[in-house]
């Protein structure tokens, strides 16, 4: 979320900076050639760009050229574990298909989590501190201004201003605004957003003509909603406090609001009165001793003496807009709007590198910034999941996070007991897609997903595109097909276990490691794969009942991605001897079976398996601690069989 906010700020900052810079240049080019009211109205584009995060794709968008820098990744290799060379475990043979059968598996690079999160958090905290500082300054500034004004303000009755009602009708305001006079004001102004009133200086009341001009000017401010625009201008300065161009735009738009009001006032005055209006401005500017702060939400008719020359010049030589100039200016404004208020084409919104997402209660996971076009329908809303989308997922063109964010789930279930969140999608032809986000203790957070057909055939994701097509064909023909797939935490390796339902055994076990295929040349009941936290090793649990007599019966198998070898782990005789030597049972234990549980230590150096004696009335479970670096069973801990799930999950390294 933090990263998304920062990326949005960066994108808006880039486009708005270009928009502001061009408008500042055009403001100077067309000064004296366009009506000030038109020049002031153009700043609405900047407000829209800064405050409304539009996501309208356009081939003319400047974001097709200017893209935020991609998130860089740091790839890590290897492990601090030693290479296997002990006779305790022997390498298993594997077959490596030729290059024409290699499968390209989508990869995501390991990222330095802590450094990247710290960077994002530091930038986010810095931005929040700056925004809060500007907000507090604006709040204090306006509260002090209003308190002083209320303490010194004296309200004038409408009888004291006999021409005031006529002025309001002339401008088009049905209900006259209250008028107060204060000695603490440096300039007449319009105050307040919801209960607006006009505040004037003592100098403004010294002459009937001056008072008429002042009231007419402030009524024009109210008519063009400058009290609202002043607040929105301040909000922009709070959010984008770090961008000097935003502050320049705020100053320029405030000046243009005064010029626009002058232009409106002159519409109600004849030529002689126009000159008198200029004289009024000179009097007010001479009485104004300091500038009004940019973050003051009240307007200011006289604000320092630097702008008086421009305003008097505009009164004497009112610009007459030519048709050609109008068309040219309008065309430029429309072009600017299309370029800066829209986003890049959908086809150009490609993956910007691996990024970190904080999910759930703070767990970390990797995801790619895939384009939105495959996920959104023409109206821009979430799509219904279909087979074509799953083909994109199998090909690596979509990620699990894309499925969650871009497709509407039929059901979302959060299970606090098993620590996962599930998204369930119902497809046509009896297909169902289940996506889980799992947060297990001592392991990185991860996704798993499966596609099932009529409750019998199933295939896990991520899988090869070829495997998905085999599954779909088997479903269409009524054949049996079951495939489990387990991706490593860095998504570089995917283990596929294909099951032979007739034999109730695994028909094959293949690991796709960066496009190459490694196959274990024996079948078994491999119920689960658990990758070490650094994704170097994959442990495959054997679900068969083990008696220690069959030479190929081992508690687990280990895939070593450094040497591309399979190894047998923990001869069952070791475990049987531990049971029998301790004399826990009256009868000899001759067989054990493994509970479908396997877990790595946080450092990836030790493996924990749980197993049970295959005898009646068993109430004992054995936890095997296998030291991968030393190639040996480090410890066997006997415990009572857990009576509750919490007890079963209570193992602590």
């Amino acid at each position: 979320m933090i990263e998304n906010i920062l990326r949005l700020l960066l994108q808006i900052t880039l486009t708005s900076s270009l928009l502001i810079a061009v408008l500042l240049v055009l403001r100077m080019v067309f000064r004296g050639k366009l009506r000030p009211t038109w020049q002031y109205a153009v700043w609405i584009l900047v407000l829209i760009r800064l405050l409304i995060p539009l996501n309208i794709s356009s081939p003319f968008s400047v974001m097709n050229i200017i893209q935020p820098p991609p998130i860089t990744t740091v790839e890590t290799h290897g492990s601090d574990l030693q290479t296997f060379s002990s006779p305790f475990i022997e390498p298993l043979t594997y077959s490596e298909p030729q290059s024409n059968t290699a499968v390209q598996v989508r990869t995501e690079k390991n990222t330095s989590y802590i450094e990247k999160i710290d960077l994002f958090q530091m930038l986010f905290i810095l931005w929040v501190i700056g925004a809060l500082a500007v907000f507090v300054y604006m709040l204090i500034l306006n509260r002090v201004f209003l308190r002083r004004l209320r303490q010194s303000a004296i309200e004038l009755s409408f009888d004291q201003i006999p021409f005031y009602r006529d002025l309001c009708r002339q401008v088009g305001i049905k209900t006259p605004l209250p008028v107060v006079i204060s000695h603490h004001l440096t300039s007449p102004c319009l105050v307040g957003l919801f209960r607006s009133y006009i505040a004037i200086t003592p100098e403004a009341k010294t002459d009937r003509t001056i008072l008429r001009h002042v009231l007419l000017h402030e009524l024009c401010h109210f008519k063009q909603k400058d009290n609202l625009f002043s607040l929105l201008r301040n909000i922009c300065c709070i959010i984008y406090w770090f961008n000097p161009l935003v502050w320049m735009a705020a100053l320029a738009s405030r000046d243009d609001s005064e010029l626009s009001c002058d232009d409106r006032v002159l519409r109600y005055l004849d030529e002689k009165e126009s000159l008198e209006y200029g004289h009024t401005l000179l009097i007010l500017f001479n009485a104004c001793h300091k500038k009004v702060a940019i973050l003051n939400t009240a307007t200011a008719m006289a604000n320092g003496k630097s702008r008086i020359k421009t305003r008097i010049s505009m009164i004497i030589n009112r610009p007459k807009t030519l048709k050609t100039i109008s068309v040219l200016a309008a065309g430029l404004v429309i072009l600017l709007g299309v370029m800066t208020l829209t986003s890049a084409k959908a086809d150009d919104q490609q993956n910007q590198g691996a990024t970190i997402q904080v999910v759930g209660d703070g767990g970390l996971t990797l995801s790619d910034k895939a384009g939105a076009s495959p996920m959104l329908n023409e109206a821009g809303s979430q799509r219904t999941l279909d087979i074509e989308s799953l083909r994109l997922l199998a090909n690596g063109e979509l990620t699990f996070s894309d499925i969650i964010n871009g497709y509407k789930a039929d059901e979302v279930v959060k299970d606090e007991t098993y620590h996962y969140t599930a998204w369930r999608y119902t497809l046509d032809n009896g297909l169902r897609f289940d996506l889980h986000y799992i947060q297990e203790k001592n392991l990185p957070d991860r996704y798993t997903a499966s596609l099932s057909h009529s409750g019998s055939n199933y295939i896990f994701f991520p899988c090869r595109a070829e495997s998905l097509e085999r599954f779909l064909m088997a479903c269409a023909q009524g054949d049996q097909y079951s495939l489990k797939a387990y991706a490593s935490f860095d998504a570089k390796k995917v283990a596929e276990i294909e099951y032979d339902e007739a034999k109730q055994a695994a028909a094959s076990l293949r690991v796709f490691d960066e496009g190459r295929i490694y196959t274990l040349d024996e079948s078994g009941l491999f119920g689960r794969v658990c990758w070490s936290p650094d994704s170097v090793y994959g442990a495959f649990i054997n679900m068969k009942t083990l008696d220690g007599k069959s030479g190929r019966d081992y508690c687990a198998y280990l895939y070593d991605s450094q040497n591309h070898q399979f190894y047998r782990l923990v001869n069952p005789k070791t475990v049987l001897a531990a049971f029998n030597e301790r004399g826990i049972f009256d009868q000899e234990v001759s067989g054990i079976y493994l509970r479908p549980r396997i877990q790595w230590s946080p450092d990836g150096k030790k493996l924990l398996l749980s197993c049970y004696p295959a005898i009646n009335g068993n109430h004992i479970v054995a936890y095997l601690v296998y030291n991968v670096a030393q190639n040996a069973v480090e410890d066997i801990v006997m415990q009572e069989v857990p009576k509750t799930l919490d007890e079963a999950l209570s193992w602590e390294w």
Side-chain angles (χ1 to χ4, degrees):
M1 180 180 177
I2 290 177
E3 180 196 345
N4 292 336
I5 293 174
L6 294 178
R7 291 181 70 87
L8 180 63
L9 278 175
L10 177 58
Q11 179 177 340
I12 294 179
T13 298
L14 290 173
T15 54
S16 62
S17 297
L18 176 63
L19 177 61
I20 292 170
V22 175
L23 286 181
L24 290 174
V25 173
L26 294 179
R27 183 170 174 262
M28 293 186 293
V29 171
F30 288 102
R31 178 173 294 168
K33 301 180 180 65
L34 284 176
R35 297 286 291 272
T37 307
W38 293 13
Q39 285 192 184
Y40 180 49
V42 171
W43 291 109
I44 295 177
L45 286 178
V46 178
L47 283 177
I48 293 174
R49 175 66 280 187
L50 291 175
L51 299 179
I52 303 177
L54 297 174
N55 190 23
I56 304 173
S57 299
S58 168
F60 304 103
S61 173
V62 70
M63 292 308 297
N64 291 309
I65 304 173
I66 306 175
Q67 285 285 1
I71 304 300
T72 58
T73 59
V74 180
E75 186 174 4
T76 60
H77 299 277
S79 169
D80 58 354
L81 304 184
Q82 299 175 3
T83 303
F84 290 173
S85 58
S86 170
F88 182 82
I89 52 176
E90 57 176 312
L92 298 180
T93 59
Y94 66 90
S95 60
E96 181 178 331
Q98 300 301 319
S99 58
N100 58 351
T101 62
V103 179
Q104 296 298 323
V105 180
R106 172 177 159 273
T107 64
E108 295 183 43
K109 295 185 177 180
N110 281 341
T111 310
S112 182
Y113 296 145
I114 303 302
E115 289 80 352
K116 186 174 289 187
I117 288 297
D118 285 347
L119 175 61
F120 286 139
Q121 289 179 343
M122 287 175 57
L123 291 175
F124 183 76
I125 292 172
L126 179 62
W127 171 69
V128 170
I129 291 174
L132 286 175
V134 177
F135 172 74
V136 170
Y137 173 73
M138 183 197 78
L139 198 63
I140 295 174
L141 178 72
N142 284 277
R143 286 183 65 87
V144 171
F145 170 77
L146 290 174
R147 186 177 69 249
R148 290 179 178 176
L149 178 59
R150 288 166 183 166
Q151 290 174 349
S152 62
I154 301 173
E155 186 172 357
L156 300 178
S157 66
F158 293 161
D159 294 336
Q160 294 176 278
I161 318 172
F163 55 85
Y164 182 54
R165 294 181 185 275
D166 293 333
L167 282 180
C168 291
R169 282 193 294 269
Q170 188 178 8
V171 176
I173 298 174
K174 296 180 180 180
T175 304
L177 302 179
V179 180
V180 302
I181 184 171
S182 172
H183 294 276
H184 285 291
L185 286 178
T186 59
S187 167
C189 58
L190 175 68
V191 183
L193 180 61
F194 300 108
R195 297 180 181 179
S196 304
Y197 59 92
I198 297 173
I200 63 174
T201 59
E203 292 81 7
K205 199 175 181 300
T206 57
D207 183 84
R208 176 188 173 92
T209 301
I210 295 176
L211 180 59
R212 181 172 181 271
H213 291 161
V214 168
L215 293 176
L216 188 58
H217 182 93
E218 299 307 327
L219 288 172
C220 287
H221 269 305
F222 181 76
K223 187 66 177 178
Q224 66 182 19
K225 307 298 181 185
D226 283 335
N227 49 347
L228 173 60
F229 288 136
S230 179
L231 178 61
L232 295 178
R233 188 166 54 230
N234 288 355
I235 292 175
C236 291
C237 291
I238 292 171
I239 298 174
Y240 302 94
W241 58 267
F242 53 87
N243 189 353
L245 284 173
V246 171
W247 293 92
M248 293 173 64
L251 290 169
S253 63
R254 188 177 69 173
D255 290 342
D256 285 348
S257 73
E258 296 301 328
L259 291 174
S260 175
C261 277
D262 291 342
D263 187 57
R264 284 178 176 268
V265 169
L266 295 179
R267 297 180 191 178
Y268 304 111
L269 305 177
D270 56 27
E271 186 174 349
K272 179 182 177 181
E273 287 181 306
S274 297
L275 295 177
E276 292 176 348
Y277 178 73
H279 182 68
T280 297
L281 291 180
L282 288 174
I283 293 174
L284 295 176
F285 271 97
N286 287 331
C288 181
H289 302 295
K290 62 179 181 178
K291 291 185 177 182
V292 178
I294 183 61
L295 292 179
N296 195 322
T297 55
T299 62
M301 184 175 179
N303 186 20
K305 300 180 181 180
S306 60
R307 302 293 297 165
I308 184 62
K309 182 178 180 180
T310 301
R311 294 179 67 176
I312 296 298
S313 176
M314 295 288 283
I315 293 171
I316 297 174
N317 303 304
R318 292 187 65 189
K320 297 180 180 180
T321 305
L322 299 176
K323 186 176 182 179
T324 305
I325 297 295
S326 300
V327 172
L328 178 60
L332 289 174
V333 170
I334 293 173
L335 180 61
L336 269 178
V338 172
M339 291 177 62
T340 58
L341 299 184
T342 57
S343 56
K345 292 186 299 182
D347 292 343
D348 292 339
Q349 295 174 349
Q350 298 297 329
N351 180 13
Q352 291 296 314
T355 62
I356 292 178
Q357 294 180 336
V358 181
V359 187
D361 61 354
L364 301 178
T365 184
L366 287 173
S367 66
D368 288 336
K369 296 292 184 181
S373 55
M375 298 184 294
L376 303 179
N377 59 26
E378 294 180 357
S381 59
Q382 287 184 313
R383 287 185 53 180
T384 301
L385 192 65
D386 54 18
I387 290 299
E388 291 305 318
S389 301
L390 294 181
R391 286 191 171 106
L392 293 175
L393 180 64
N395 283 322
E397 298 176 46
L398 286 180
T399 64
F400 290 135
S401 59
D402 291 335
I403 298 295
I404 294 171
N405 297 323
Y407 294 86
K408 184 177 180 181
D410 297 297
E411 184 181 9
V412 179
V413 177
K414 187 173 181 64
D415 193 310
E416 300 292 347
T417 303
Y418 289 93
H419 309 294
Y420 73 82
T421 303
W423 292 262
R424 294 168 182 167
Y425 305 81
T426 302
L427 290 75
D428 296 332
N429 302 321
L431 294 171
R432 170 174 156 172
F433 184 74
D434 292 275
L435 175 57
H436 290 70
Y437 177 72
I438 305 173
Q439 295 173 293
E440 286 185 316
K441 187 181 293 185
N442 295 330
L443 291 175
D445 299 341
R446 66 191 186 280
Y447 291 103
T448 64
S450 64
L451 178 65
S452 59
H453 178 256
S454 301
S456 56
N457 289 8
Y458 60 84
I459 183 170
F460 277 49
F461 285 78
C463 63
R464 294 182 301 154
E466 294 89 336
S467 299
L468 176 60
E469 296 305 323
R470 286 183 60 191
F471 168 81
L472 295 174
M473 182 168 293
C475 293
Q477 296 176 353
D479 298 334
Q480 291 288 328
Y481 186 84
S482 301
L483 181 78
K484 288 187 177 181
Y486 303 87
S488 59
F489 297 116
D490 62 2
K492 287 184 177 182
K493 293 166 277 294
V494 176
E496 286 188 357
I497 303 175
E498 185 175 341
Y499 275 81
D500 186 335
E501 296 294 341
K503 296 180 180 179
Q504 291 293 301
S508 64
L509 187 155
R510 294 182 295 272
V511 177
F512 303 95
D513 189 350
E514 296 186 321
R516 303 178 72 185
I517 304 174
Y518 303 91
T519 304
L520 181 63
D521 289 338
E522 65 179 270
S523 62
L525 288 176
F526 306 107
R528 182 179 175 188
V529 179
C530 189
W531 296 92
S532 60
D534 54 12
S535 296
V536 173
Y537 299 101
F540 303 82
I541 192 169
N542 195 337
M543 297 296 293
K544 293 190 296 185
T545 300
L546 308 175
D547 57 15
K549 298 176 181 178
S550 175
R552 307 183 74 84
D553 279 354
Y554 280 78
C555 292
Y557 295 85
L558 191 73
Y559 170 70
D560 173 13
S561 65
Q562 292 178 325
N563 300 312
H564 303 298
Q565 294 281 358
F566 285 94
Y567 299 91
R568 298 187 182 98
L569 296 185
V570 189
N571 191 312
K573 293 180 180 179
T574 305
V575 186
L576 293 171
F579 277 115
N580 293 321
E581 287 172 3
R582 301 191 185 192
I584 299 174
F585 302 99
D586 295 335
Q587 63 189 83
E588 182 181 358
V589 178
S590 59
I592 59 171
Y593 62 90
L594 298 179
R595 187 168 178 267
R597 181 182 179 201
I598 186 169
Q599 187 178 8
W600 286 90
S601 63
D603 59 6
K605 294 184 178 181
K606 297 179 182 180
L607 196 60
L608 172 70
L609 301 96
S610 57
C611 63
Y612 302 83
I615 60 176
N616 295 329
N618 173 38
H619 56 92
I620 297 296
V621 61
Y623 291 97
L624 281 70
V625 181
Y626 182 79
N627 191 313
V628 177
Q630 297 178 5
N631 309 325
V633 175
E634 185 176 278
D635 195 10
I636 298 179
V637 181
M638 301 290 185
Q639 290 186 358
E640 290 286 330
V641 174
K643 297 181 177 61
T644 65
L645 179 64
D646 290 337
E647 292 180 11
L649 300 177
S650 63
W651 179 276
E652 295 287 349
W653 285 99

